[in-house]
């Protein structure tokens, strides 16, 4: 369970997140949608206690992430494509994280298996392809077997097989009763993967609903419904000929 | 059960992780980077090599031979200090810092873990470098120069302190890395503070030299014969260098807690 209450974040003159409140429930994949610069990554960093909110609070399982007893067993996050030292092996990276939260070494091998990285585990992570890097990031998120998972654009740059793998993994994690919160720009992917959606624009909540309900607003087309919803808040959308709204 | 119990927030628990967990993480991180080993080894080898050359070149039997053979520390400190910077700044350049802080959200623990683990490793490397310098440098002395002995307490003190000095410079590097976060400007700050500042200030005032690490090690810590202008005891001088490390790590710790990762 993730709870955001009046989350607010300012970067200089930019109001990146503006009194944002929502809940992400367990047992479902909740998609996090919004145009570029709408505050998705910032929100996820605040949930993970990496950026301090200027107002409001985020809670994981009822308390701020920083107060977790064993943080990695509470929540795991994939926030950037390459959040590891290029000179360290994949296994070394995971072993370091495991040690920090007294996670047994056998779990390192387990998650390496889950993401299919066993054969590359002893290579320097700097040599990994984008897809392999993404898998290492997912393995790191899963290391503590947490009940809450955040993924910021997990399918970015993945080949079709990787995209399908992520989709199946998200569904499986949710089916196991975990809270899965993922952002993506690929709306068709969201339509296939997510049950629920949280849509933001310019740091504001625009919708907190189900995929089915939002698509129904535009006759079953999620993409059209998304554009209609975010029409006023997209800051970086190119002027298009066939705008339509 | 009333409905409000559902809304109840869970109280903050004592975190399960302790310094030993943070330290274990840092130990694994340190060992799993080949560059760490290489820079440490280079620091030790270069210090010993320069000390040996200094031993070979010592001809004045009245000179401070111990200080001469430890002069490689002046270069060795650069490598250890830079490694200290990188231990912190590479976390930022690679993005590892986010994974680190997600694992240990109590941020002071992260920096303490690094200081304990890396400080210990640097102390071992530093002592290996200075004892190695002393043994190799004195073995290289010509027969006309009297050979100092480690059984002389002043000589032993100089060798041990020069090694400890290297560890303190490594911690100063770590502190600067935590404050500045970007590798290039952090290394520039370190080099400026160690080598350029003494040139600028030390040239103007003799007493100010007693507060410049690079001058402290050459004229006090590693010296057996007293040097003019360095009237403070070596222990006090070592304390001054330690104070720099403590202050920089303290500022780094405060900034680590305050700033977004
Ligand atoms: N560290 C930072 N310093 C300054 N501004 C920032 C910082 N991080 C984010 N911002 C600004 O905050 C706003 C929200 O950015 P954020 O990265 O959260 O958006 P996003 O929804 O993840 O976008 P995208 O879809 O492009 O990933 C943007 O205007 C961005 O420029
Ligand atoms: Mg983003």
């Amino acid at each position: 369970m993730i709870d955001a209450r009046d989350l607010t974040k300012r970067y200089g003159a930019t109001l990146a997140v503006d009194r944002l409140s929502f809940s992400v429930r367990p047992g479902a994949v909740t998609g996090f949608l919004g145009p570029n610069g709408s505050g998705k990554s910032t929100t996820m960093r605040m949930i993970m206690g990496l950026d301090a909110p200027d107002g409001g609070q985020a809670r994981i399982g009822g308390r701020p992430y920083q107060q977790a007893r064993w943080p990695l067993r509470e929540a795991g996050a994939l926030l950037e494509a390459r959040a590891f030292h290029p000179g360290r092996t994949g296994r070394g990276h995971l072993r370091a994280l495991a040690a920090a939260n007294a996670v047994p070494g056998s779990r390192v091998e387990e998650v390496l298996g889950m993401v299919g990285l066993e054969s590359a585990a002893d290579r320097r992570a700097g040599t990994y392809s984008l897809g392999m890097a993404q898998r290492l990031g997912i393995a790191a998120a899963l290391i503590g077997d947490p009940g809450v998972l955040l993924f910021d654009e997990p399918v970015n740059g993945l080949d079709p097989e990787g995209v399908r793998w992520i989709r199946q993994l998200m569904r499986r994690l949710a089916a196991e009763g975990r809270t899965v919160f993922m952002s993506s720009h690929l709306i068709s992917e969201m339509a296939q993967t997510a049950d629920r959606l949280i849509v933001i624009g310019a740091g504001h909540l625009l919708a907190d609903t189900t995929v089915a309900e939002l698509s129904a607003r535009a006759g079953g087309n999620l993409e059209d419904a998304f554009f209609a919803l975010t029409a006023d808040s997209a800051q970086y959308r190119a002027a298009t000929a066939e705008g339509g709204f | 059960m009333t409905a409000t119990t559902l809304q109840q927030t869970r109280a903050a628990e004592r975190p399960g992780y302790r310094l030993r967990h943070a330290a274990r993480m840092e130990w694994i991180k340190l060992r799993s980077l080949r560059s760490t080993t290489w820079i440490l080894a280079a620091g030790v080898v270069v210090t010993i090599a320069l000390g040996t050359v200094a031993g070979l070149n010592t001809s004045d039997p009245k000179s401070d031979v111990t200080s001469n053979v430890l002069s490689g520390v002046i270069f060795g400190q650069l490598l250890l200090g830079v490694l200290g910077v990188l231990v912190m700044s590479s976390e930022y350049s690679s993005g590892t810092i986010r994974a680190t802080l997600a694992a240990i959200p109590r941020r002071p623990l992260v920096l303490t873990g690094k200081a304990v683990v890396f400080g210990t490793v640097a102390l071992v490397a530093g002592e290996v470098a200075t004892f190695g310098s002393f043994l190799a440098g004195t073995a290289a002395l010509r027969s006309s120069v009297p050979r100092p002995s480690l059984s002389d307490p002043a000589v032993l003190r100089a060798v041990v302190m020069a090694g400890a000095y290297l560890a303190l410079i490594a911690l100063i590097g770590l502190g600067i890395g935590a404050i500045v976060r970007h590798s290039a400007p952090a290394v520039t700050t370190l080099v400026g503070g160690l080598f350029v500042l003494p040139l600028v200030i030390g040239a103007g005032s003799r007493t100010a030299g007693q507060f410049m690490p690079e001058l402290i090690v050459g004229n006090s810590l590693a010296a057996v014969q007293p040097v003019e202008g360095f009237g403070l005891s070596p222990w006090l001088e070592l304390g001054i260098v330690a104070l720099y490390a403590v202050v920089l790590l303290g500022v780094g710790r405060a900034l680590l807690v305050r700033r977004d990762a």
Side-chain angles (χ1 to χ4, degrees):
Chain A
M1 182 79 160
I2 302 170
D3 269 298
R5 284 292 158 259
D6 295 319
L7 266 188
T8 302
K9 183 70 184 181
R10 219 180 286 279
Y11 292 109
T14 316
L15 192 53
V17 177
D18 188 9
R19 278 169 298 142
L20 185 59
S21 298
F22 60 83
S23 296
V24 186
R25 60 185 69 171
V29 176
T30 301
F32 196 18
L33 284 177
N36 288 134
S38 55
K40 302 181 295 296
S41 300
T42 303
T43 301
M44 287 188 163
R45 285 198 303 272
M46 289 193 284
I47 294 170
M48 291 301 290
L50 296 168
D51 284 16
D54 292 310
Q57 199 179 43
R59 290 169 184 273
I60 289 179
R63 65 178 166 221
Y65 181 71
Q66 298 96 304
Q67 292 175 8
R69 192 165 152 71
W70 295 105
L72 296 182
R73 305 188 198 179
E74 207 75 31
L78 169 81
L79 298 179
E80 298 152 279
R82 291 180 187 273
F84 43 75
H85 196 293
R88 194 170 282 128
T89 65
R91 183 177 269 119
H93 178 68
L94 295 173
R95 286 197 32 214
L97 295 178
N101 276 211
V103 171
S106 57
R107 179 66 184 168
V108 170
E109 305 311 313
E110 219 170 281
V111 292
L112 280 169
M114 283 172 75
V115 302
L117 216 53
E118 302 107 319
S119 60
D122 290 319
R123 265 170 56 189
R124 295 165 63 238
T127 67
Y128 287 4
S129 71
L130 183 56
M132 293 162 80
Q134 209 78 324
R135 284 167 190 261
L136 178 56
I138 290 171
L142 295 171
I143 191 82
D145 197 13
V148 173
L149 288 151
L150 286 80
F151 299 101
D152 198 1
E153 299 183 32
V155 299
N156 239 12
L158 292 191
D159 62 16
E161 201 194 324
V163 172
R164 171 190 274 187
W165 174 74
I166 296 258
R167 184 192 310 143
Q168 290 168 346
L169 177 69
M170 304 284 131
R171 305 254 16 123
R172 196 175 80 228
L173 292 168
E176 290 167 358
R178 299 177 213 261
T179 305
V180 181
F181 191 38
M182 84 179 254
S183 79
S184 174
H185 288 293
L186 301 179
I187 299 203
S188 57
E189 190 47 43
M190 274 298 188
Q192 290 185 67
T193 312
D195 311 292
R196 301 191 55 86
L197 286 177
I198 289 173
V199 186
I200 64 171
H204 292 281
L205 185 71
L206 297 178
D208 180 351
T209 180
T210 63
V211 171
E213 192 276 330
L214 188 60
S215 326
R217 292 188 199 176
N221 186 326
L222 185 62
E223 193 174 63
D224 286 348
F226 172 76
F227 283 134
L229 196 59
T230 58
D232 298 331
S233 58
Q235 306 161 53
Y236 304 109
R237 184 169 298 156
T240 53
E242 85 283 5
F245 25 74
Chain B
M1 289 281 142
T2 60
T4 52
T5 45
L6 290 175
Q7 298 294 318
Q8 234 171 39
T9 54
R10 281 156 74 190
E13 275 182 80
R14 231 172 108 73
Y17 54 92
R18 302 287 151 75
L19 178 59
R20 69 169 187 277
H21 298 102
R24 260 191 66 77
M25 169 168 67
E26 294 307 329
W27 173 238
I28 293 173
K29 279 196 225 164
L30 209 57
R31 272 191 329 173
S32 58
L33 279 185
R34 244 179 290 169
S35 53
T36 313
T37 320
W38 280 115
I39 297 177
L40 272 179
V44 171
V45 168
V46 167
T47 303
I48 295 175
L50 291 175
T52 311
V53 171
L56 282 171
N57 289 339
T58 300
S59 53
D60 179 0
K62 289 204 176 62
S63 67
D64 190 334
V65 176
T66 306
S67 167
N68 288 356
V69 298
L70 291 174
S71 58
V73 165
I74 298 299
F75 193 84
Q77 66 176 335
L78 183 61
L79 286 165
L80 274 138
V82 167
L83 185 56
V85 166
L86 290 178
V87 163
M88 201 64 205
S89 64
S90 74
E91 292 244 350
Y92 287 96
S93 58
S94 66
T96 315
I97 190 70
R98 300 235 165 106
T100 299
L101 295 179
I104 309 271
R106 308 234 163 172
R107 298 183 180 190
L109 219 48
V110 170
L111 194 57
T112 308
K114 277 188 194 293
V116 168
V117 170
F118 179 62
T120 306
V121 168
L123 182 61
V124 171
E127 297 296 346
V128 168
T130 53
F131 275 91
S133 296
F134 182 82
L135 296 177
T138 52
L141 288 172
R142 55 193 73 178
S143 52
S144 58
V145 180
R147 190 170 296 188
S149 160
L150 284 175
S151 58
D152 177 347
V155 171
L156 183 62
R157 188 226 79 222
V159 176
V160 170
M161 277 195 179
Y165 170 81
L166 286 175
L168 289 175
I169 295 298
L171 290 176
I172 285 176
L174 182 65
I176 293 175
I179 295 167
V180 180
R181 299 199 281 190
H182 298 282
S183 302
V187 168
T188 308
T189 305
L190 175 77
V191 172
L194 277 183
F195 297 108
V196 184
L197 213 57
L199 292 180
V200 177
I201 297 178
S205 149
R206 270 202 85 85
T207 47
Q210 297 182 100
F211 300 94
M212 304 280 139
E214 191 215 2
L215 299 177
I216 287 174
V217 68
N219 296 299
S220 174
L221 303 184
V224 173
Q225 299 168 10
V227 176
E228 201 206 324
F230 283 81
L232 300 176
S233 89
W235 289 101
L236 194 56
E237 291 281 34
L238 190 69
I240 292 172
V241 183
L243 187 66
Y244 291 145
V246 167
V247 168
L248 287 167
L249 285 170
V251 173
R253 170 192 159 121
L255 290 174
L256 179 64
V257 169
R258 280 186 45 157
R259 293 192 291 212
D260 289 340

